Amino acid sequence: MSDLTPDSQQAARFVASPNHGPRRGQGRPDCLILHYTGMSTGEAALDLLVDPVSEVSAHYLIWEDGRIDQLVAENRRAWHAGKALWKGESDLNSASIGIEIVNPGHDGGLPPFPERQIAATIALARDICSRWKMSPERVLAHSDVAPLRKRDPGEAFPWEALWRGGVGHWIPAAPLSGPPLFNHEEEGPPVRALQAMLALYGYGVELSGVYDRHTRAAVTAFQRHFRPERVDGEADASTVATLKALIEGLA
């Protein structure tokens, strides 16, 4: 426990983590990254996030019942994103605010996120985005910025509910239809065009023209966030149409 005052009125208490430092570069956050804790209990996650040996933290932790703890001041660099990339920015810890949402994740069966927890997430995210003037498309999943390493907050996370609550960028996914457009390791201009669209939206994809494992990982991350009905890393017509519509929505 700490006598520090939370930055957001949504937070119930400040539980200080020692795992933070000064923000680098631009010095202010311009994106919000959402995680699940991926541990059996919220108590275990909190213990990890405030343990100096772990060298991990986040700015906020949201419990299943909607309680919110702040662990790191928003003007400090919490250690939550790790090796990551979005729109060419590789120091996402300096460029972001991180929220951990208590949920055991994929290894725990990916149970539903309780309504009270999601309501608290919406309220906190809306407050943060308003105060820091973050664009809707800058509300991201951990898997978006680190697709080769991370799956959280996962395909069961209700991004549509956040969007309806005024948080994030989202559209209804195009209907599932047809087979994959590319074979694994297929090469050619159409693959490069897909990579260019993913990179335009923000994903850290090299324009190699090869449907390699990096591209498949980015497609998988995109599907977890925007087309969760089928998460398989295969760029089908639904995936591409949804990506195109999201890009058009940025104009």
Side-chain angles (χ1 to χ4, degrees):
M1 185 70 76
S2 169
D3 58 1
L4 291 171
T5 302
D7 289 303
S8 174
Q9 293 182 355
Q10 307 301 322
R13 61 177 185 168
F14 202 115
V15 184
S17 172
N19 303 330
H20 59 85
R23 291 189 182 274
R24 305 166 184 166
Q26 62 183 352
R28 67 181 305 278
D30 67 0
C31 65
L32 181 64
I33 299 177
L34 304 186
H35 311 250
Y36 62 45
T37 53
M39 301 185 71
S40 58
T41 67
E43 289 77 13
L46 179 60
D47 287 346
L48 182 74
L49 292 165
V50 300
D51 183 352
V53 176
S54 73
E55 297 188 343
V56 295
S57 62
H59 294 89
Y60 293 95
L61 176 70
I62 304 182
W63 298 79
E64 296 98 330
D65 62 3
R67 288 177 295 127
I68 300 174
D69 291 338
Q70 183 167 8
L71 313 181
V72 175
E74 290 180 8
N75 64 356
R76 300 289 289 175
R77 181 181 183 271
W79 304 340
H80 62 99
K83 185 177 180 180
L85 186 66
W86 190 257
K87 281 198 172 285
E89 173 60 63
S90 60
D91 185 3
L92 268 297
N93 282 336
S94 288
S96 68
I97 288 174
I99 297 177
E100 288 278 359
I101 303 167
V102 175
N103 186 287
H106 289 83
D107 292 341
L110 203 60
F113 294 82
E115 289 184 8
R116 292 179 66 181
Q117 188 180 46
I118 293 304
T121 302
I122 291 170
L124 177 59
R126 194 164 50 203
D127 177 47
I128 291 170
C129 291
S130 175
R131 287 187 289 104
W132 290 99
K133 296 179 173 54
M134 294 177 181
S135 301
E137 67 273 13
R138 303 287 287 180
V139 179
L140 304 168
H142 196 191
S143 54
D144 288 325
V145 302
L148 282 169
R149 300 188 303 111
K150 295 297 180 179
R151 298 181 288 178
D152 57 311
E155 55 271 25
F157 187 74
W159 290 103
E160 179 180 359
L162 266 69
W163 175 72
R164 294 191 182 281
V167 175
H169 186 215
W170 187 88
I171 60 166
L176 296 174
S177 65
L181 300 176
F182 308 111
N183 297 318
H184 296 183
E185 301 301 321
E186 181 174 335
E187 300 183 33
V191 177
R192 184 182 175 88
L194 171 65
Q195 292 169 334
M197 287 194 297
L198 287 165
L200 179 61
Y201 195 76
Y203 290 90
V205 178
E206 182 181 352
L207 306 188
S208 66
V210 180
Y211 201 74
D212 53 19
R213 72 183 188 96
H214 296 274
T215 305
R216 293 189 73 242
V219 168
T220 301
F222 177 83
Q223 291 169 339
R224 289 192 198 284
H225 191 153
F226 298 107
R227 212 286 304 276
E229 291 80 6
R230 184 189 296 160
V231 179
D232 58 8
E234 305 294 352
D236 54 18
S238 167
T239 301
V240 174
T242 306
L243 175 57
K244 285 181 178 179
L246 283 162
I247 292 171
E248 290 169 357
L250 296 176

